[in-house]
Amino acid sequence: DNLCTFLPQDKVGNFSGFDKQALLAETEKSLSGQLYDTHQELIKLESEVRSSGCDVQTVEEKLKNLEAENRRLEREKELMEERQSYLERIELLKKKRAWLIFDAKRLEALEVKEERANLKNQLKEAQKQIKPVKEKHAQMEGEVSKIKSRYTSLENKVKKDRKTYEDCETKTQTFQDNIENTL
């Protein structure tokens, strides 16, 4: 069973120049195209398996790198979550601080309002106690005013009387001088 008997003669001459792999491939082509395609697919798969051996190491390295990156990113994520938690806490504390300040100011305002009311009451009491003194003072002021006015009028009268006295004395002196001169 020589396979060369089934092939055209021009193809048979070419067989002598082929190496083992090419001879097998040409034989497969001549027998069945499907057989050749299957063989080519097997060759391709074998080269993929061989190259995948190298790729397994590359993939393992890549996997290790990605796992390390993943751990780093996980830690970074934890830090970001922790930071976010702190930021939220800060916001909460700022709001709480504002309320505490507000409450303190409100209490301070209430105390001041209460103190003001107390001072008003004390002022009213003091004014009640001072009222008789003020009335007495006003009465005394009136009397002082009357006395001043009386004093002023008396002083004016005294001045007038003194002037009259001096005028009279001057006249008396003049008369006396005239009398002495005449005598």
Side-chain angles (χ1 to χ4, degrees), residues 13-54:
N14 289 340
F15 271 84
S16 60
F18 290 144
D19 63 351
K20 292 179 182 180
Q21 283 89 11
L23 185 60
L24 178 61
E26 290 301 320
T27 304
E28 286 174 349
K29 279 184 192 176
S30 64
L31 289 176
S32 164
Q34 185 180 2
L35 182 63
Y36 175 74
D37 291 338
T38 306
H39 186 241
Q40 290 303 314
E41 196 172 318
L42 285 173
I43 292 171
K44 187 173 154 187
L45 287 172
E46 182 182 6
S47 80
E48 284 180 16
V49 167
R50 284 186 187 154
S51 68
S52 71
C54 296

Side-chain angles (χ1 to χ4, degrees), residues 103-137:
D103 282 344
K105 293 296 180 184
R106 186 178 56 81
L107 289 175
E108 187 179 324
L110 289 174
E111 288 173 3
V112 168
K113 188 176 180 181
E114 203 173 291
E115 186 178 342
R116 182 175 178 246
N118 288 338
L119 289 174
K120 272 187 174 181
N121 290 337
Q122 288 176 0
L123 178 64
K124 284 180 183 177
E125 285 297 318
Q127 285 175 342
K128 282 181 185 177
Q129 291 174 357
I130 291 177
K131 188 175 182 182
V133 174
K134 277 188 175 181
E135 289 172 355
K136 187 74 171 169
H137 181 265

Side-chain angles (χ1 to χ4, degrees), residues 32-173:
S32 164
Q34 185 180 2
L35 182 63
Y36 175 74
D37 291 338
T38 306
H39 186 241
Q40 290 303 314
E41 196 172 318
L42 285 173
I43 292 171
K44 187 173 154 187
L45 287 172
E46 182 182 6
S47 80
E48 284 180 16
V49 167
R50 284 186 187 154
S51 68
S52 71
C54 296
D55 286 343
V56 167
Q57 290 173 350
T58 307
V59 168
E60 284 177 355
E61 281 181 34
K62 208 177 219 182
L63 179 63
K64 286 178 186 177
N65 290 340
L66 289 174
E67 285 174 346
E69 178 74 12
N70 191 27
R71 283 190 298 273
R72 186 185 65 78
L73 290 174
E74 282 292 326
R75 178 64 184 142
E76 200 170 304
K77 177 187 158 216
E78 289 172 6
L79 290 174
M80 290 297 288
E81 288 173 351
E82 188 177 340
R83 181 179 184 272
Q84 186 62 34
S85 151
Y86 286 137
L87 289 175
E88 289 171 2
R89 178 117 171 105
I90 287 170
E91 276 303 310
L92 179 67
L93 290 174
K94 281 181 181 177
K95 290 176 183 175
K96 193 172 186 176
R97 178 177 170 241
W99 275 107
L100 290 174
I101 290 171
F102 172 77
D103 282 344
K105 293 296 180 184
R106 186 178 56 81
L107 289 175
E108 187 179 324
L110 289 174
E111 288 173 3
V112 168
K113 188 176 180 181
E114 203 173 291
E115 186 178 342
R116 182 175 178 246
N118 288 338
L119 289 174
K120 272 187 174 181
N121 290 337
Q122 288 176 0
L123 178 64
K124 284 180 183 177
E125 285 297 318
Q127 285 175 342
K128 282 181 185 177
Q129 291 174 357
I130 291 177
K131 188 175 182 182
V133 174
K134 277 188 175 181
E135 289 172 355
K136 187 74 171 169
H137 181 265
Q139 183 183 5
M140 291 295 195
E141 285 284 328
E143 287 181 27
V144 165
S145 176
K146 285 179 188 176
I147 291 171
K148 278 185 180 180
S149 131
R150 191 163 179 216
Y151 173 77
T152 306
S153 89
L154 287 175
E155 192 176 19
N156 288 337
K157 188 175 179 198
V158 165
K159 282 181 185 178
K160 189 177 177 186
D161 287 347
R162 183 174 283 160
K163 175 105 169 117
T164 307
Y165 169 77
E166 285 176 1
D167 286 345
C168 286
E169 195 175 315
T170 308
K171 279 184 186 180
T172 313
Q173 189 68 26

Side-chain angles (χ1 to χ4, degrees), residues 175-183:
F175 284 134
Q176 204 172 28
D177 285 341
N178 281 339
I179 293 179
E180 281 184 15
N181 283 337
T182 23
L183 279 176

